[in-house]
Amino acid sequence: MRTLLALMCLLCTTTAWANQLQGIRIWPSPDNTRIVLDMQASPRFDYFLLNGPDRLVVDLAQTQGRVNFSAIKNSGELVTRIRESKPPQPGSYRLVFELKAAAKPVVFPLAPAGDYGHRLVIDLPYQDQSRKPQQPARKLAPAGLRELVIAVDAGHGGEDPGAIGPKKNREKHVTLAISRRLAELINQEPGMRAVLTRSGDYYVNLNKRSEIARKAKADLLLSIHADSVANQGPRGASVWLLSSNRANREMAGWLEKQEQQSELLGGVGEVISQTDGNPYLTRTFLDLSMDRSRADSYAISEHILSEMAKVVRLHKRKPEHASLAVLKSPDIPSLLIEAGFISNPHEERLLLSADHQQKIARAVFNGVKSYYRQNPPNGTMMAARAAPGAAVRHTVRSGESLSVIARRYGVSVSRIKGHNDLSSDVVRVGQVLNIPGS
């Protein structure tokens, strides 16, 4: 009888707690904080907000919690404290997230995938000032000229680890390391500037990545990844661009989004806005923009592959086409660069090496620079420098020296002096110098 009662109590306990909260992870980003609850089984949940102070309360039905709150890593500023509270009914579990400011949560469950089990995801839109990417100081451009802007996209991030190597190294860390190195090289080049789509370990929606590039008026989007297959044998780098089938599908989507067509770059948006909604003209201009973008993408990828072949093994010697969401922008040439196979044990070790990461970043940078030196966009500093015998007029500003001006334009001090008949290195504020083309 006693044994039967014990079994019944155990059964009742198991029924009451059909699920278990196993852990909590927080992924802060510049404009969103993602909270992930790791669950033993698919969660049944409810939530509501409180104010004065701001709090998010999450109730998990038939769940017990075994979380060490002091061990939760949180580098963001929105969530100030996490604690449990008295549940609304026996057998349930209540979590309280104390917030710095009000936020409208988006809460949804995720099924098991990869190394992750069942999860409950909470997205809290919030402008986290501590997470804002530190963009380099903009180099002063001569009047009427602009910098060439390159958007560098580190694949995956945060809750999305990307591919995982044999030694459990994650693609998201490799892509961020290479992207940072590439951005640094770009920012050191006179007339070029990099914009990172993510600067830390957090997830950025695939649509948001091209939006970040568009808002920065980027001339090119480079998405950095590491390849993976079930077989550990394949090795080498490759470069991918948008397939024609995916391009046609994206074109149909843009035709339906009339309110976004004016956001297109390169003057296409302005032209479309003047067509009075004529679908045939809009389609024509979008087609021309996409064709030009894909043609430029192919040409740039050939330059990058040529440079990468000098320092790393190539898996594909020609640009490949694929249906990839991050490359779908109709107005910005976009490439996805597979730095190597993280699924290959040898390349996994290489991809973690700082020297190898720098080699890849340098090769990609050299390929981009090689292309734009031959095909500089109109109105850029690079175009002015590339014009045969061209000279740019520069007015000396306060704090500038001849060496600073020379570095900005990528020419030597002696060339500037010779071009302007200067007998010394001294220049004065307001003095106009002719900068020779490189």
Side-chain angles (χ1 to χ4, degrees):
M1 184 68 178
R2 189 175 298 171
T3 303
L4 180 61
L5 285 173
L7 287 171
M8 289 178 66
C9 289
L10 179 62
L11 181 61
C12 289
T13 302
T14 304
T15 303
W17 287 331
N19 207 342
Q20 181 174 328
L21 174 62
Q22 299 173 321
I24 300 175
R25 290 173 289 127
I26 302 177
W27 304 101
S29 75
D31 55 9
N32 183 75
T33 294
R34 171 166 285 194
I35 303 169
V36 181
L37 309 183
D38 290 308
M39 309 295 298
Q40 187 178 51
S42 180
R44 290 170 48 208
F45 62 93
D46 194 10
Y47 66 93
F48 57 92
L49 293 167
L50 296 172
N51 53 29
D54 293 301
R55 286 153 290 165
L56 168 66
V57 181
V58 178
D59 289 326
L60 301 169
Q62 295 185 344
T63 300
Q64 63 174 333
R66 293 180 180 175
V67 178
N68 180 3
F69 292 102
S70 62
I72 298 172
K73 296 179 180 179
N74 178 23
S75 59
E77 61 182 31
L78 175 61
V79 181
T80 58
R81 185 187 176 199
I82 306 174
R83 57 182 172 86
E84 60 181 39
S85 184
K86 184 179 179 180
Q89 57 190 28
S92 63
Y93 188 76
R94 171 166 284 183
L95 278 171
V96 179
F97 298 89
E98 298 182 3
L99 308 177
K100 181 179 179 180
K104 294 183 179 180
V106 178
V107 186
F108 55 95
L110 282 179
D115 285 353
Y116 295 119
H118 289 279
R119 289 153 290 166
L120 183 65
V121 177
I122 304 165
D123 278 337
L124 296 165
Y126 174 74
Q127 296 294 323
D128 193 331
Q129 300 301 315
S130 69
R131 314 297 299 181
K132 272 195 170 181
Q134 296 298 312
Q135 299 294 352
R138 295 195 57 172
K139 301 178 277 289
L140 293 174
L145 298 179
R146 66 174 181 85
E147 295 170 316
L148 194 72
V149 180
I150 312 296
V152 181
D153 172 53
H156 307 283
E159 182 66 6
D160 175 15
I164 300 175
K167 296 294 185 182
K168 301 303 180 184
N169 293 295
R170 302 189 170 197
E171 180 184 0
K172 66 176 183 176
H173 299 309
V174 171
T175 62
L176 183 59
I178 295 173
S179 295
R180 284 172 170 167
R181 294 176 184 277
L182 175 57
E184 184 178 0
L185 291 170
I186 291 169
N187 288 325
Q188 291 172 355
E189 179 69 14
M192 295 179 71
R193 178 168 60 90
V195 174
L196 286 166
T197 61
R198 72 174 177 98
S199 57
D201 186 13
Y202 51 84
Y203 180 73
V204 180
N205 182 279
L206 291 177
N207 292 326
K208 184 74 178 291
R209 295 172 192 250
S210 54
E211 287 177 16
I212 292 172
R214 184 171 290 106
K215 286 180 180 178
K217 300 188 182 301
D219 297 274
L220 173 66
L221 170 64
L222 299 173
S223 189
I224 309 300
H225 286 255
D227 219 335
S228 178
V229 290
N231 178 6
Q232 294 186 358
R235 294 173 56 185
S238 55
V239 180
W240 298 74
L241 55 146
L242 194 66
S243 67
S244 57
N245 287 339
R246 180 61 185 258
N248 289 332
R249 292 202 305 272
E250 293 300 332
M251 190 72 65
W254 273 92
L255 284 168
E256 294 174 359
K257 300 174 185 175
Q258 293 185 8
E259 73 282 358
Q260 293 185 15
Q261 291 167 5
S262 61
E263 299 175 4
L264 295 173
L265 303 179
V268 179
E270 183 179 353
V271 173
I272 288 176
S273 67
Q274 298 171 4
T275 62
D276 297 324
N278 186 313
Y280 300 105
L281 285 175
T282 299
R283 175 74 197 210
T284 299
F285 289 127
L286 279 173
D287 274 337
L288 289 171
S289 179
M290 180 68 88
D291 288 347
R292 174 62 185 272
S293 175
R294 293 180 66 233
D296 288 348
S297 297
Y298 193 91
I300 297 167
S301 66
E302 289 186 311
H303 281 256
I304 291 175
L305 283 169
S306 175
E307 292 294 331
M308 292 186 80
K310 299 174 184 177
V311 295
V312 299
R313 180 172 179 163
L314 293 182
H315 180 64
K316 302 283 187 180
R317 294 194 168 273
K318 291 288 185 182
E320 296 290 314
H321 296 77
S323 176
L324 302 166
V326 75
L327 305 181
K328 67 181 186 178
S329 180
D331 54 329
I332 305 173
S334 304
L335 299 173
L336 186 142
I337 297 164
E338 298 282 9
F341 280 82
I342 198 170
S343 55
N344 179 282
H346 175 70
E347 287 204 335
E348 181 186 24
R349 289 192 298 272
L350 284 177
L351 289 169
L352 294 172
S353 160
D355 288 343
H356 192 74
Q357 291 171 359
Q358 189 68 21
K359 281 182 182 179
I360 294 169
R362 172 68 67 177
V364 174
F365 168 71
N366 286 342
V368 171
K369 185 170 67 171
S370 167
Y371 171 80
Y372 280 114
R373 278 188 170 174
Q374 296 178 26
N375 307 275
N378 292 333
T380 61
M381 293 171 63
M382 192 167 284
R385 290 168 53 196
V392 176
R393 292 171 65 82
H394 177 87
T395 303
V396 179
R397 301 177 177 91
S398 177
E400 288 185 329
S401 65
L402 205 56
S403 59
V404 168
I405 296 169
R407 282 198 302 273
R408 178 172 301 145
Y409 291 97
V411 297
S412 66
V413 170
S414 60
R415 287 197 66 199
I416 295 179
K417 289 174 66 176
H419 210 72
N420 292 272
D421 295 326
L422 299 178
S423 57
S424 73
D425 292 350
V426 178
V427 290
R428 66 182 185 278
V429 175
Q431 184 177 356
V432 178
L433 300 174
N434 290 316
I435 310 299
S438 59

